[in-house]
Amino acid sequence: MPDYRTYTLGHDGHFQGSIPLPDCPDDDTAIAAVKQVLDGHDVELWQLDRKVAVFDHKTKSVKSA
């Protein structure tokens, strides 16, 4: 089972918290789920120890890792 998790970064770039994404079977589904919950912070999407994408809240861009 894929183990996706978001990591929220504060405006200073430091870790603020994480949210598990248990219902995401693949990268595309996980990326779509993160786009729905962006809340004014940068977010990193990880699957276990693999960084999948970085979401920039200012530009609304997604960079694949």
Side-chain angles (χ1 to χ4, degrees):
M1 175 178 184
D3 184 17
Y4 290 97
R5 179 173 294 275
T6 65
Y7 290 94
T8 304
L9 305 175
H11 298 289
D12 60 0
H14 289 98
F15 169 77
Q16 284 193 320
S18 68
I19 299 171
L21 300 172
D23 298 327
C24 296
D26 56 38
D27 288 0
D28 292 334
T29 306
I31 288 170
V34 174
K35 286 181 179 179
Q36 293 177 13
V37 297
L38 287 178
D39 64 352
H41 292 89
D42 292 344
V43 174
E44 293 183 351
L45 173 63
W46 289 75
Q47 180 192 29
L48 299 175
D49 63 349
R50 178 179 68 95
K51 187 188 293 187
V52 176
V54 178
F55 300 80
D56 184 314
H57 80 282
K58 290 180 185 173
T59 64
K60 307 282 188 207
S61 66
V62 179
K63 296 179 187 175
S64 295

